[in-house]
Amino acid sequence: MSYLKVRSLSKNFGHLKALQDVDLELEKGKSIAIFGDNGAGKTTLIKIISTLMNPTSGKIFVNDLDLTSDGDKIRKSLGLVSHSLFLYSELNAIENLRYFGRLYGVGDLDDRITNLLGKFGLLPRMYDSVRTFSRGMLQRLALARAVIHKPDFLLLDEPFTGLDRSASQLLMNYLEEHKAGGGTSLLVTHDLQRGFESADQLAILSEGRMVWKSDSSSLSLDEFKKVYSKNVSEGV
Amino acid sequence: MRHLSQLSALLRKDILIELKSRETVISMLLFSLLVLLVFNFAFEADSAAIKKISPGLLWITFLFFGVLGLNRSFTLEKENDSLQGTLLAPVDRSVIYLGKFLSNLLFILLVELITLPLFTLFLNVDLLSHIGKLLPILLLGSIGFISVGTLFSAMAVNTKMREIMLPLLLYPISTPAFIAATKCTSAILRDRPIESYSNWLNILILFDVVFFVTSFLIFEFVVEE
């Protein structure tokens, strides 16, 4: 049974058609990586699935809940890691996580925060203002913020942007851990290798259309790169 | 219970940020001082005219620095797209509005209370002996102004000229509340009985109820893309 169902999803910004009749299904516990060049509609898709943006038409169901009517219930199970950090620069790491933890109603919040800060290597800087953090540290804290409520469904929008090698490894480890725990994830990226390595399913979005879908086990990385070049260049 | 806990988290976050940065209250206070200083030089402090126009001057001062505070309110949410982080959480949008409304009210009321003795000092108008009657008007006038201001601040923050956009939207809409609050203040300073300004008081209360409820209900559509 599908955990995520996207049906004929379209989004227009005036005359610009950012997404056109996108269909997508993802089973619980599986991961999908959606690739596409800049302007393909990847971030728009993530924003709509994460309830931050309303679609022009189409339907989305997460765990059989309708996104348009059950947004509040769906948000409880969603975690979004984006190139936007969603953090308050004036606050320190603990204060940021405490704020978001309270919004989600996380129990044993202090233990959860300590655990996450330890996992993402931020304990030595937990009382420092977020403003003083490097880009990599900010991304790690943003990841901790996104998973503070242990979401079932993880949405990742170019999460590797700005990460150094160790931070990227931390993220990959977390994604594996999330998957091992039965979590579902949707990643959008133009990093072909990382996306290919981390997902069960692959899809290509070009000019707002889902032009190709497949299981990652059915082809090699080199084959996928050829498929990507063909589909994206045909779309342009 | 969940809503109350979320409201408390939203409010605590804004207060904590203000305690750390002190940008909102300090900038409003400095602006208030500057306006009073200008009024002090523009008008003779002992003249009869100033007694007459002081209620208007007081509310103009509040409107001027109030816009500064309201502008700052959502600007801090713009950095790192923090507001979107809040919107991702299972929080009713009206609770987010309420949190912002309460923090704005708290900061602006604080500066208003500090401004009252300064107003007395600079313009030689005795406000403090009427403080008991003035405080409810101050609260009602601020509630009306901030109800609409919080909504418009959320709208204006995504526009290119947000510093200009907010007063352009806010001042015309809040004019009825401003006039009613000025009339009530004027009557109180002249020791008139409540019956003499009850109509203005009713208008002020009506404005507060209508615009608070409307803003509370439509905030959801303002923050959604």
Side-chain angles (χ1 to χ4, degrees), chain A residues 11 13 47 50-54 71-73 75-76 78 80 84-92 95 98-100 102-105 127 129-131 138 145, chain B residues 2-3 5-14 16-17 20-21 23 72 76-77 79-93 223-225:
Chain A
K11 177 69 183 178
F13 297 104
K47 278 190 167 181
S50 64
T51 76
L52 285 176
M53 190 181 273
N54 290 320
D72 223 29
K73 284 181 192 161
R75 277 191 283 272
K76 280 182 194 163
L78 284 184
L80 171 64
S84 291
L85 299 165
F86 309 138
L87 297 168
Y88 289 92
S89 304
E90 287 83 358
L91 303 181
N92 64 33
E95 288 160 347
R98 195 171 283 148
Y99 166 64
F100 287 106
R102 281 184 179 141
L103 291 186
Y104 283 97
Y127 294 115
S129 165
V130 162
R131 199 178 286 285
L138 286 170
R145 176 205 53 75
Chain B
R2 177 172 68 100
H3 290 328
S5 147
Q6 290 174 329
L7 181 64
S8 142
L10 288 158
L11 199 54
R12 284 168 76 149
K13 178 258 298 171
D14 280 348
L16 198 54
I17 289 175
K20 290 190 171 208
S21 70
E23 284 179 20
R72 166 88 182 134
L76 75 91
E77 302 282 348
E79 194 184 358
N80 296 334
D81 290 325
S82 322
L83 180 63
Q84 293 204 329
T86 302
L87 292 172
L88 279 167
V91 190
D92 200 291
R93 276 48 180 145
V223 290
E224 278 181 5
E225 284 186 50

Side-chain angles (χ1 to χ4, degrees), chain B residues 14-43:
Chain B
D14 280 348
I15 293 171
L16 198 54
I17 289 175
E18 182 54 27
L19 285 174
K20 290 190 171 208
S21 70
R22 293 185 183 141
E23 284 179 20
T24 307
V25 169
I26 295 290
S27 61
M28 284 197 290
L29 204 54
L30 281 174
F31 195 77
S32 164
L33 260 174
L34 281 174
V35 172
L36 291 178
L37 205 63
V38 170
F39 285 161
N40 182 43
F41 284 113
F43 306 103

